[in-house]
Amino acid sequence: MDFPVADPIQEAIASVVSRRSYGYPWPREDGRSVATAFADRMGRKFGWEIDAQRVRVLTDVVQAVATCVHAFSDPRDGIVVQTPSYPPLLRVVDLLGRRLVANPLRDTGTRFELDIDGLRQAVSGTRMVLFCHPHNPTGRVFEAHELEALRDIVVEHDLIVVSDEIHADLVYPPRRHLPLALVDPELGARTVTLNSASKSFNLAGLRCGVAHFGSDALAERFDSCFPPELLGHVSNVSLEATIAAWDSSEKWLADALGVLGRNREMLVERIRRDLPGAVCHEPDATYLAWIDCRALELGAEPPAFFLDRARVALKGGTDFGDEARGFVRVNFANEPEVLDAILDRMAAAAGGDT
Ligand SMILES: Cc1ncc(COP(=O)(O)O)c(C=O)c1O
């Protein structure tokens, strides 16, 4: 994200720096913590009332995914992931010796949807669903009927869901994020929800994420596998920045979403106009656009093509799953002029104009 952070965040960090002391984090005098800031914010934003005692603070969301996979499944167990997928989720499953069971999203021609029939078949013999909601890279915000269908399958097959909701702040009206755990209590009790201020408030380098466990049993199991000595600790700079983001930076976020929403419109319009043949469904959320470049015939890996011919670095391709070959992912969290220049370069290169 190219936007300077919110003033309250900068001030919180400056206040830590001004003390010239970087000792271990100490409980704050006002009792505020990342866990209570998260719990209160979920209540304010989504009407999701959660107990801060069931929130654990970790160094990042990918660590949370990996530790949950380790805690709630065994080697060679099947783990279901909707593909295309943010690559670290796929890698974690592989690195921990679990079996990746891909359930590709269905492209309806206007958007990507959960393939519920595919999911029903995919879950057989698996222990867990790794869910990404809103979804990276497609930007889909799954709707209540999709989440309810997921709930039926998860409950019927006695599964645990790890729901990575790191993009939940970045949803464009009229769409609204519905936390998976809020869909229904039975599903909530088997859901671990992951979140962080890192994507929406531009804090990714500071390292802090949270995991909320939907039941005491899940939290206890996690704690027994990962005592603090194994997890490590988050720095006081990061804790203070995250609290400032969640308690005091909503105005900044609303402004950032305004810019991102306009960038999203410009990007989708320009892809349609200037990259004929490329297909981009307007993302409901995130600052990521998932673009199908297969008809452009740019070679096996379009990210390599755009890097080479346009000097534009994009992610995409088979790191996101087998069905992602021929796609690129554009990050549009930049100043409009920068995004314009990126699109000019991509269009010129794809049109053979370089
Ligand atoms: C879905 C998703 N999960 C996790 C992350 C990474 O979060 P962290 O840096 O906290 O591991 C990202 C970053 O892009 C993401 O898109």
Side-chain angles (χ1 to χ4, degrees):
M1 194 185 234
D2 279 352
F3 311 150
V5 298
D7 288 342
I9 296 175
Q10 192 65 13
E11 284 155 18
I13 294 171
S15 157
V16 176
V17 171
S18 71
R19 279 181 242 138
R20 292 183 164 223
S21 168
Y22 301 98
Y24 294 124
W26 203 247
R28 282 170 47 138
E29 276 177 15
D30 63 3
R32 200 61 168 154
S33 67
V34 165
T36 56
F38 177 69
D40 288 350
R41 188 160 186 265
M42 291 301 101
R44 280 198 310 276
K45 275 188 81 114
F46 306 116
W48 181 31
E49 300 301 333
I50 60 175
D51 180 354
Q53 302 286 339
R54 288 220 206 108
V55 175
R56 300 291 175 271
V57 179
L58 298 97
T59 55
D60 59 70
V61 168
V62 172
Q63 182 198 38
V65 172
T67 47
C68 285
V69 168
H70 185 95
F72 301 118
S73 69
D74 294 315
R76 289 181 294 285
D77 277 346
I79 311 278
V80 180
V81 183
Q82 267 64 47
T83 52
S85 166
Y86 175 59
L89 305 191
L90 304 177
R91 278 203 299 276
V92 158
V93 172
D94 195 39
L95 282 169
L96 291 173
R98 273 60 171 174
R99 202 165 33 84
L100 178 76
V101 181
N103 177 226
L105 294 176
R106 229 163 35 87
D107 185 350
T108 65
T110 53
R111 66 180 196 173
F112 291 90
E113 290 184 351
L114 273 192
D115 180 353
I116 298 299
D117 291 335
L119 182 62
R120 201 167 285 113
Q121 290 176 8
V123 295
S124 149
T126 66
R127 291 283 290 280
M128 179 186 274
V129 177
L130 263 188
F131 199 54
C132 183
H133 168 55
H135 184 256
N136 176 357
T138 65
R140 246 333 284 297
V141 171
F142 298 111
E143 289 170 13
H145 73 272
E146 292 168 281
L147 302 178
E148 283 158 9
L150 171 69
R151 181 256 338 258
D152 293 346
I153 295 171
V154 163
V155 171
E156 185 187 335
H157 291 265
D158 190 21
L159 303 174
I160 288 171
V161 189
V162 173
S163 185
D164 176 345
E165 303 191 4
I166 196 169
H167 293 281
D169 280 337
L170 299 169
V171 174
Y172 303 101
R175 295 261 178 257
R176 282 180 56 76
H177 175 72
L178 172 61
L180 185 69
L182 194 53
V183 168
D184 139 313
E186 228 183 321
L187 177 62
R190 22 178 95 246
T191 299
V192 184
T193 306
L194 309 181
N195 212 320
S196 165
S198 68
K199 294 285 110 187
S200 31
F201 293 97
N202 197 11
L203 303 180
L206 289 185
R207 322 309 292 142
C208 179
V210 292
H212 169 266
F213 296 90
S215 71
D216 289 338
L218 286 180
E220 280 159 22
R221 166 107 188 129
F222 184 84
D223 290 344
S224 69
C225 288
F226 290 102
E229 292 76 8
L230 289 186
L231 276 185
H233 299 271
V234 174
S235 79
N236 49 1
V237 175
S238 197
L239 295 172
E240 291 297 332
T242 298
I243 293 170
W246 282 341
D247 278 354
S248 317
S249 302
E250 297 299 345
K251 164 81 175 66
W252 179 95
L253 179 62
D255 291 346
L257 260 183
V259 177
L260 293 173
R262 289 189 289 280
N263 280 1
R264 175 184 71 142
E265 268 172 43
M266 187 247 273
L267 179 137
V268 171
E269 194 184 303
R270 286 210 53 191
I271 296 287
R272 287 179 188 156
R273 193 186 69 205
D274 300 334
L275 275 165
V279 180
C280 178
H281 305 326
E282 186 175 70
D284 303 327
T286 76
Y287 41 71
L288 305 167
W290 187 238
I291 305 172
D292 180 354
C293 297
R294 285 173 298 183
L296 302 181
E297 298 184 355
L298 306 177
E301 290 290 358
F305 172 90
F306 284 116
L307 184 61
D308 182 41
R309 304 286 183 86
R311 307 308 296 156
V312 171
L314 304 171
K315 299 249 170 154
T318 47
D319 287 351
F320 288 71
D322 289 341
E323 53 288 293
R325 186 182 298 280
F327 286 69
V328 296
R329 195 190 68 176
V330 174
N331 180 321
F332 57 85
N334 24 49
E335 295 302 332
E337 313 76 68
V338 175
L339 181 60
D340 227 15
I342 289 170
L343 294 166
D344 284 346
R345 285 175 177 220
M346 289 175 67
D353 216 11
T354 48

